[in-house]
Amino acid sequence: MSTDAPVFCVNHPQTETLLRCNKCGKPVCLKCVERTPVGYRCKECLNVQRTGYYTATPMDYAITALVGAIASGLAGALAMIIGGLWLIMIFYAPAAGGLIAEIIRRAIQKRRGKYIALVACAVFILGGLAGAGALLLLTWGTRRFDLALLASRLFLNIGIWIFIALGASTVYARLRS
């Protein structure tokens, strides 16, 4: 018969637990622990371990934004040309997103950053829409300029939305790790 005193989580003093972090040994509850391949770790130990993986500098974020904007602008203009052929766009968008992610990764010399994937994803969306809109403006140069009609041609084009959704998700997935 065991007469051990109950152990409580270090973050939630009202929660009784049997779990301990396998690195620091602190008692933690299920809310405060994450399962890793080597056992359960508290979030503090995981954060210390993860910070060593992030080596990106603020300049890498700027490079990501610049390179991503240029590449996704060009890809967005090409997507506008493909536009109505949405079946082709289903294959083009992930390929373009993967290529842009690889260009960004090489531009920042494969350094990792906590928010590099989010920056690249946002820039892909904005650059893709800007590139598609710029192509529309260039092709409409000789016609009467009607901003409402131009916006409707851009935003009601299902191919562009397929490009944005599939391409942005590919960029995010490729750069998050």
Side-chain angles (χ1 to χ4, degrees), residues 41-42 45 50 58 63 83 99 101-102 113-114 116 157 160 166:
R41 296 255 169 112
C42 67
C45 289
R50 287 178 181 157
I63 292 170
L99 179 64
E102 191 57 35
K114 194 171 188 177
I116 289 284
N157 185 339
I160 292 299
L166 295 178

Side-chain angles (χ1 to χ4, degrees), residues 65 68-70 72-73 76 118-134 154 163-164 168:
I70 293 168
S72 62
L118 290 175
V119 169
C121 188
V123 166
F124 180 87
I125 293 168
L126 296 174
L129 288 174
L154 177 64
F163 169 73
I164 294 296

Side-chain angles (χ1 to χ4, degrees), residues 51-131:
T51 55
Y53 293 132
Y54 300 132
T55 58
T57 64
M59 184 57 107
D60 291 328
Y61 287 96
I63 292 170
T64 297
L66 180 65
V67 169
I70 293 168
S72 62
L74 294 172
L78 184 56
M80 193 65 198
I81 293 170
I82 297 170
L85 303 172
W86 57 268
L87 189 59
I88 294 173
M89 192 65 69
I90 291 173
F91 298 103
Y92 167 69
L99 179 64
I100 290 169
E102 191 57 35
I103 289 169
I104 290 171
R105 186 186 314 261
R106 288 176 190 249
I108 61 174
Q109 299 174 357
K110 298 184 179 181
R111 287 187 288 270
R112 293 179 174 185
K114 194 171 188 177
Y115 302 110
I116 289 284
L118 290 175
V119 169
C121 188
V123 166
F124 180 87
I125 293 168
L126 296 174
L129 288 174

